[in-house]
Amino acid sequence: MRERVTFLQGPSADVDPAALQIEAAGLLGPSAEAIRQDRFSLSLDELPRDLATLLGAFDELHLKWASPVAYETLDPFGSRISPGLHVLYTTAENDGVKATKLCSALQAFGSLDCTKPEAFTVTTTEPGSDKKSSYFYQELNDLSAFVASSVGTLCSSSDATCESRLRNLRTASSLDISYESGSQTLKVTPLWPLERREIAVPRSSGRTEVGIFAQDTPHKAEMHELGVAGLLSVLGEKKDPSATVFSFPSRHRTSDSHFSCEFLEPAGLHPTLQLKLSSAKLPLDDAGCAPYAYFTLPKTIFADRYQYEDSLFLASKNLTASRYTSFPVDLEAPAYTTTTWGSSVLLELAPPASGQPGDWTAEVPLHLRYLKPSASGRVPVEVPYPAVFWACDMAGEVDFPTNPFDRRQLGYDGLFSSQTSFWHVAPKPVSGNRITSALYVPVLRDEGAAWIRLGTTVAVGLGFAWVLWKLLGVYRVAGYGSVAAEAARKDKKTR
């Protein structure tokens, strides 16, 4: 197993090498305002047999989770996805057996509604590629269930360090788990937000590399480059850390703006979600940039793709176009009969022409599905914030994969060219700390549903009895032949 631990501070931060204690047991330093990212790389033979067998059935498997609690971050860790659990897999043959086995394994995260292969939608992983992948999403507030189920299966009873690492995932802001058959390697990458934390890393059984960095982009860096400077140490090899400075191209960047998201009132069954952005200023002056919002909508709500074909309607909402909608999307089915997890929608936004700082809004019309009756007559629904970003076309060829912190397979990045950089707009809660938009949906009360079922049964029964009574009356007067003749006469008349 190879392990990389990265602490990243702001540009003005500095850690004194003399304050670091590097012993056989690990590294210990002072507390600092920093982001922490861990990355574990494991080969298949280092994994439990059942897990290795499952992974071997896929060409690619990517799990990404993001917390619904807002958090602060720094470049190069600025990429964003909607809160919840995102699952994407690619196989040579998309058969239902593999999806069923994967769903069984995913229950480690909690009760996930993926038991039917139809729960997954089909998507394209790269622009211009005919390679198809299957995608699933579900709301997931935290990783508590995953931690509880993993401690007993991934850690031995004597490995206190492994158990401690897993329990720390409860405070993580994101978790990426990726497997690619080409490398035969599973990568697990949790991220903790920018906050005051102790710089402490216990040594593991494999190679452990620790970097303590601050942002430090060179003055002559290209517009697509970022830089860091700090201390690098490999536990068990050297007693003293090495000073290091390096720069790299970054596909994902943080913009200087933020956005909030809420439903306009009254919402009704056709609610409008309003995005409020703090600035329309372009992140790059000499690149073609446009703002986008990538929505991950649970099955309770959907966007009508036909509604987004009207350019005048879109202009009235400060939208430019709908660039992508996942399939299938049933426009009529109630939520409780819909097997698909939901839908993804990429909308291009239309900012003010001035392109200057200052609040501006875009409105996204959506449609609620019919929900099951409840005792109160109202059901709460939460919609995760979208990922909002400026997509900029970079001139020339930029080798983004050389970034040691590069992040891919986010859902929306496969809808753009490989030479696109994403400048992310930070989500800001309207109230509290959750980056979700909530509303209460009016539904039928439980007692009302019982009366409606009874009334429907009585009405159908009475109608059927009336038809029989009329047919019986005709039969009594003229016999069966008259009934048949009368039916034939009416049929001929209708033709």
Side-chain angles (χ1 to χ4, degrees):
M1 180 184 76
R2 290 179 290 115
E3 178 184 3
R4 187 189 75 195
V5 180
T6 304
F7 294 92
L8 179 69
Q9 306 168 83
S12 60
D14 186 23
V15 173
D16 184 1
L20 299 180
Q21 301 177 32
I22 304 177
E23 308 291 345
L27 180 148
L28 182 63
S31 63
E33 189 87 6
I35 292 171
R36 173 169 176 161
Q37 186 202 60
D38 291 4
R39 172 165 290 181
F40 304 90
S41 300
L42 302 99
S43 60
L44 289 183
D45 57 7
E46 295 179 285
L47 301 173
R49 179 178 299 178
D50 291 345
L51 178 57
T53 302
L54 175 67
L55 293 175
F58 298 95
D59 294 336
E60 293 186 31
L61 177 61
H62 304 277
L63 280 69
K64 288 181 168 53
W65 173 82
S67 172
V69 177
Y71 65 93
E72 188 177 352
T73 186
L74 297 170
D75 286 333
F77 303 117
S79 62
R80 300 275 185 171
I81 58 174
S82 291
L85 180 66
H86 305 250
V87 181
L88 183 144
Y89 73 84
T90 302
T91 61
E93 297 179 0
N94 287 327
D95 59 83
V97 176
K98 292 178 181 178
T100 301
K101 290 182 178 179
L102 176 60
C103 182
S104 297
L106 291 176
Q107 302 308 311
F109 288 90
S111 180
L112 303 186
D113 188 15
C114 59
T115 53
K116 296 182 179 180
E118 295 81 11
F120 291 79
T121 56
V122 178
T123 184
T124 301
T125 55
E126 295 179 0
S129 172
D130 57 358
K131 195 175 182 181
K132 300 294 183 181
S133 295
S134 297
Y135 181 82
F136 175 80
Y137 166 83
Q138 187 163 319
E139 304 96 321
L140 188 67
N141 282 325
D142 55 56
L143 297 173
S144 297
F146 176 71
V147 171
S149 63
S150 300
V151 166
T153 57
L154 299 181
C155 301
S156 64
S157 57
S158 60
D159 194 344
T161 300
C162 173
E163 183 173 335
S164 175
R165 288 286 184 86
L166 280 172
R167 296 194 185 283
N168 285 339
L169 291 179
R170 291 174 174 168
T171 59
S173 292
S174 71
L175 173 67
D176 290 7
I177 301 177
S178 298
Y179 169 79
E180 295 184 3
S181 59
S183 64
Q184 296 281 293
T185 301
L186 178 70
K187 295 182 179 180
V188 182
T189 311
L191 177 78
W192 287 267
L194 181 65
E195 60 184 32
R196 196 99 192 151
R197 64 178 72 256
E198 283 191 1
I199 297 178
V201 181
R203 183 182 175 186
S204 63
S205 57
R207 175 187 169 90
T208 302
E209 181 181 289
V210 182
I212 305 171
F213 303 124
Q215 292 177 318
D216 186 23
T217 302
H219 293 295
K220 295 183 179 180
E222 300 289 339
M223 64 180 179
H224 57 266
E225 287 185 322
L226 293 173
V228 296
L231 305 172
L232 187 64
S233 178
V234 180
L235 302 186
E237 292 188 5
K238 292 183 178 180
K239 291 285 293 181
D240 298 317
S242 303
T244 183
V245 178
F246 62 98
S247 59
F248 45 85
S250 184
R251 191 191 315 268
H252 298 280
R253 307 284 292 271
T254 56
S255 70
D256 295 329
S257 56
H258 61 265
F259 79 98
S260 59
C261 189
E262 63 180 333
F263 286 102
L264 298 179
E265 295 291 345
L269 292 176
H270 305 281
T272 295
L273 194 61
Q274 185 185 72
L275 303 178
K276 187 174 183 179
L277 294 90
S278 64
S279 175
K281 185 179 179 180
L282 296 176
L284 297 174
D285 294 330
D286 55 351
C289 300
Y292 291 85
Y294 183 75
F295 293 84
T296 305
L297 302 174
K299 65 172 63 178
T300 53
I301 195 166
F302 65 94
D304 184 351
R305 60 183 178 275
Y306 302 107
Q307 191 175 15
Y308 293 99
E309 293 178 356
D310 186 340
S311 58
L312 292 178
F313 173 78
L314 291 175
S316 69
K317 304 295 183 182
N318 281 345
L319 303 175
T320 299
S322 174
R323 299 303 184 189
Y324 170 80
T325 301
S326 62
F327 289 95
V329 180
D330 194 319
L331 304 183
E332 302 294 339
Y336 47 85
T337 65
T338 302
T339 55
T340 305
W341 67 264
S343 57
S344 302
V345 180
L346 177 67
L347 296 179
E348 183 178 348
L349 311 181
S354 62
Q356 295 301 314
D359 291 354
W360 62 284
T361 62
E363 296 181 0
V364 181
L366 300 171
H367 304 270
L368 285 162
R369 296 189 185 278
Y370 292 111
L371 307 179
K372 287 183 177 180
S374 72
S376 64
R378 295 203 310 164
V379 173
V381 168
E382 271 194 331
V383 175
Y385 270 33
V388 177
F389 52 85
W390 291 81
C392 301
D393 294 328
M394 307 304 296
E397 291 292 324
V398 180
D399 193 8
F400 287 122
T402 59
N403 178 355
F405 310 106
D406 192 31
R407 197 180 186 204
R408 296 175 56 250
Q409 303 295 353
L410 303 179
Y412 52 83
D413 54 338
L415 303 175
F416 296 87
S417 76
S418 60
Q419 294 300 298
T420 300
S421 67
F422 302 94
W423 292 75
H424 294 267
V425 183
K428 181 180 180 181
V430 173
S431 61
N433 62 359
R434 289 180 65 83
I435 45 177
T436 58
S437 303
L439 77 163
Y440 281 88
V441 181
V443 298
L444 191 64
R445 292 180 182 270
D446 286 331
E447 61 270 22
W451 280 107
I452 286 179
R453 284 193 293 268
L454 177 60
T456 301
T457 302
V458 170
V460 171
L462 289 175
F464 184 65
W466 181 83
V467 171
L468 288 180
W469 176 257
K470 289 297 183 181
L471 291 175
L472 182 60
V474 174
Y475 178 78
R476 285 177 176 177
V477 173
Y480 174 76
S482 176
V483 174
E486 178 67 15
R489 185 185 66 80
K490 290 183 177 180
D491 181 63
K492 184 177 180 180
K493 185 177 180 181
T494 57
R495 291 182 182 178

